[in-house]
Amino acid sequence: MAYDIEQVIKMSEDELDRLFSDSESGEIPDGEAKGTAIIAPGAGYNHAIAQIVNYFAWQGKIFDAKSGTLKNEITPFGLRAILARVYKGDSWFDQKPCIVLDYSETSVVAQRIRDEIRKVADKQYLGKVYWGKKQLIHFFLQF
């Protein structure tokens, strides 16, 4: 089942966690993905926040599966920066397999950040962002 971003952005925290937990890790993606930050799951203003974040801060991720890395697309100018290592590992959320986006050794700015993603549909991934071991937000990627 494919997901519409409008559908995903309206999900509650519990619904997003359930979708993440029920999904397989999938293969490590390759190429550009449009990203949507899900800051306030289920809140009516979540869409507005996501649009602001998308315009001013973060637009998505560019994966290079062959090298096992990615760069984030950030700023209103689409700067490609903030490198991460990409590999399969166990999720901190439910200890099941996921794809880990690890910034600890590749970024001074984001060295305490760890993202985890799982494939929820063809060319669609749901992610979690951690600061240390504390989960911060969800995000959605569309390739």
Side-chain angles (χ1 to χ4, degrees):
M1 171 182 169
Y3 289 90
D4 181 313
I5 188 55
E6 299 303 321
Q7 181 184 15
V8 174
I9 210 156
K10 291 177 183 173
M11 290 181 177
S12 69
E13 182 95 20
D14 288 342
E15 290 171 318
L16 290 166
D17 286 345
R18 193 169 27 258
L19 177 59
F20 185 84
S21 191
D22 290 347
S23 299
E24 300 291 325
S25 64
E27 292 304 311
I28 292 174
D30 193 45
E32 291 187 40
K34 179 181 190 272
T36 302
I38 305 171
I39 308 290
Y45 54 86
N46 193 31
H47 190 275
I49 292 172
Q51 288 181 316
I52 291 167
V53 169
N54 190 258
Y55 182 78
F56 289 105
W58 177 72
Q59 294 81 40
K61 297 181 183 294
I62 300 94
F63 288 80
D64 183 342
K66 186 183 280 188
S67 71
T69 62
L70 72 74
K71 286 185 180 177
N72 285 273
E73 192 170 356
I74 59 171
T75 79
F77 307 107
L79 179 67
R80 294 179 176 192
I82 310 179
L83 182 70
R85 285 188 327 117
V86 180
Y87 56 87
K88 290 200 174 188
D90 289 337
S91 172
W92 288 349
F93 176 69
D94 59 10
Q95 292 71 52
K96 295 192 282 190
C98 70
I99 298 168
V100 176
L101 316 179
D102 182 354
Y103 299 88
S104 65
E105 298 174 4
T106 58
S107 173
V108 173
V109 174
Q111 68 183 1
R112 296 205 44 181
I113 300 290
R114 170 185 164 119
D115 297 342
E116 298 177 352
I117 62 172
R118 287 193 179 137
K119 187 174 183 176
V120 297
D122 186 41
K123 299 182 181 183
Q124 296 180 328
Y125 289 76
L126 178 63
K128 292 177 166 290
V129 177
Y130 293 88
W131 175 270
K133 291 259 185 172
K134 179 180 174 20
Q135 183 184 325
L136 297 178
I137 65 168
H138 289 87
F139 63 95
F140 192 66
L141 297 173
Q142 299 175 69
F143 287 84

